[in-house]
Amino acid sequence: MKDKELTIDQKIKYVQDTLFVISGKWKLPILIAMNQGCYRFRDIQRSVPPITTRVLSRELKDLEQNKLVIRTIYEASPKTVEYTVSPYCKSLKPLVDEMIKWGQNHRRKISEK
């Protein structure tokens, strides 16, 4: 075995880490909406129906803790909060693009008779 090859245990651990960060019903749809230019809470919520305010708030906090989302508070009147994807989050783009392709192919495959 080469020094740089990963063991099966390492591969499983890294896949589990990835799934922990992006899994669930809402995280990827939120990130996709944000990559399309939705930055304010209500814009994100409208782009990802039928997500509730409570769930969106929790998911944004999780994404922020995992360094995928940056929350910026503007001290204007009224106070404004914007969310943006972090530069680190952009490293997920190839993965998400591949997931979209796989999903398209899967839908075609299961609809074949």
Side-chain angles (χ1 to χ4, degrees), residues 32-56:
I32 290 168
M34 290 178 69
N35 274 306
Q36 297 299 310
C38 298
Y39 304 120
R40 292 195 175 167
F41 189 91
R42 294 286 179 218
D43 294 336
I44 298 167
Q45 189 175 22
R46 280 188 218 104
S47 297
V48 186
I51 193 168
T52 65
T53 301
R54 181 176 173 204
V55 171
L56 178 57

Side-chain angles (χ1 to χ4, degrees), residues 40 72-82:
R40 292 195 175 167
T72 307
I73 301 170
Y74 297 99
E75 295 294 335
S77 180
K79 189 183 289 188
T80 305
V81 178
E82 284 190 352

Side-chain angles (χ1 to χ4, degrees), residues 11 16 22 26 32 34 48-49 61 65-67 69 71 73-74 77-78 81 87 90 98 100-102 111-112:
K11 289 178 182 182
Q16 288 173 330
I22 64 171
W26 302 110
I32 290 168
M34 290 178 69
V48 186
K61 284 178 187 170
Q65 285 178 339
N66 283 293
K67 310 288 187 213
V69 168
R71 181 176 184 251
I73 301 170
Y74 297 99
S77 180
V81 178
K90 293 177 183 180
E98 286 301 315
I100 291 168
K101 287 179 196 173
W102 190 90
S111 66
E112 292 176 359

Side-chain angles (χ1 to χ4, degrees), residues 32 92-104:
I32 290 168
L92 277 174
K93 186 174 179 1
L95 175 64
V96 173
D97 289 345
E98 286 301 315
M99 290 174 72
I100 291 168
K101 287 179 196 173
W102 190 90
Q104 287 173 322

